[in-house]
Amino acid sequence: MDTLRALAIALVLMSHYNGFVRHAPGFRAIGSVGWAGVDLFFVLSGYLIGNQLLAPAARGEPLNVHRFFARRLLRTLPNYYVVLAIYLLLPDSPIAGHAMASVWRFLTFTQNFVLTYGETFTHSWSLCIEEQFYLVLPLAVIALVGKQRSPRLLWCALAAAIAVGMAKRGMAFLDGKDMFAASVYYATLARFDELLPGVAIAMLKHFHPAAFTRLLRFGNTLLLTGLVAVTAALYGVMNEAPNAFLASTFGFSLIAFSFALLTCAALSPASLLNRLRVPGATNLALWSYAVYLAHKPVFMALRPELLARGINPNAPLTIVAVMAAGIFCGWLLYRLVETPFMQLRAKLL
């Protein structure tokens, strides 16, 4: 799982380096699909949160909603509000966009409803989706699973919600907006369904343990199938195959399903991915939330400095240095802000 989380943040770093430092494609084919790192984060988050909520539900225990929300808020808010404060304090700096959503939207994680490309702190859109998801899923578990300990209604709701996401993107395409239009790419209804394959894995684990155990026996098959599926889904999206309508309607969902297969492979003791230990991946995974928040303003601040000094942003040494700066600032955020609040959470909860 650490390997997948590290891969997710690496993809995002490459995508944003292309977009905000070099202003050109790079990192070969993988650089052009770096945006999919967020899709992988969504699946991993769906599994993580689903695990936390469905484990007690499967045991027939009441869900402590207050404790769940307190834990999530202490995990997500401190880093986020520190970075938001930096943006607010530097409105005329290179890290600012051409406009900025109202502060109250940032404080309530609703800015993704009005975001357009090029605005300030646009990469916060994915946090909006996740925070809104954290609000809805516990209520769905309470309402649909309840004391019966039956996941049947929740499975139905899961399938219906995925269908809603596809329908939203399909209708947007018919209205002249493909999946990468800002009003679709940042939209809650068009993206939240990508967290649901992760929730489905958690549901299998806790409500259908025998089937889940059997599934995990095929770890390497899951790994190979997931890699092929991810490659095919990303190819279809990038090349509008088999056609633009189908790619826009089903693309994000297919990518999420493919990443769900890789997540299952990561959970399988029989899989190479489960046993793979990439040097530094564990630390990068641990810092990934802070790095995600901090790296983009660092990239945007460094670009004019590189240009002013005649430094080539395509040079390998420049790429390594800028990437390292983004990761280092994320590590600082993790050490100075996230770690103390996580220690506070452990003490209070």
Side-chain angles (χ1 to χ4, degrees), residues 121-296:
F121 202 4
T122 52
H123 64 297
S124 64
W125 72 271
S126 62
L127 305 181
C128 296
I129 305 291
E130 293 203 15
E131 292 296 326
Q132 294 158 17
F133 179 74
Y134 298 157
L135 181 64
V136 172
L137 186 60
L139 304 179
V141 171
I142 292 172
L144 300 177
V145 177
K147 297 180 180 179
Q148 292 77 25
R149 298 172 62 183
S150 171
R152 185 175 303 170
L153 289 177
L154 191 55
W155 277 116
C156 293
L158 208 70
I162 292 173
V164 167
M166 294 176 178
K168 169 68 176 176
R169 293 189 293 271
M171 289 187 293
F173 183 85
L174 296 176
D175 196 35
K177 301 168 185 173
D178 67 15
M179 61 191 292
F180 291 110
S183 58
V184 177
Y185 192 81
Y186 295 146
T188 299
L189 286 180
R191 300 304 300 273
F192 80 103
D193 60 306
E194 291 185 88
L195 290 110
L196 300 180
V199 177
I201 297 172
M203 290 178 67
L204 276 175
K205 177 180 178 180
H206 294 290
F207 287 103
H208 311 280
F212 185 68
T213 301
R214 287 196 299 270
L215 177 67
L216 294 193
R217 291 174 187 164
F218 303 96
N220 287 325
T221 301
L222 289 167
L223 175 58
L224 180 59
T225 306
L227 291 172
V228 171
V230 167
T231 302
L234 290 173
Y235 177 86
V237 166
M238 298 304 293
N239 294 277
E240 296 186 339
N243 59 58
F245 172 74
L246 292 177
S248 286
T249 302
F250 300 105
F252 286 137
S253 292
L254 292 175
I255 291 169
F257 285 128
S258 303
F259 281 140
L261 292 173
L262 293 181
T263 302
C264 288
L267 295 169
S268 169
S271 169
L272 292 173
L273 181 58
N274 181 279
R275 299 192 297 271
L276 180 65
R277 296 295 178 268
V278 178
T282 298
N283 285 332
L284 188 56
L286 184 64
W287 310 332
S288 60
Y289 176 53
V291 171
Y292 180 80
L293 285 169
H295 78 280
K296 185 177 171 182

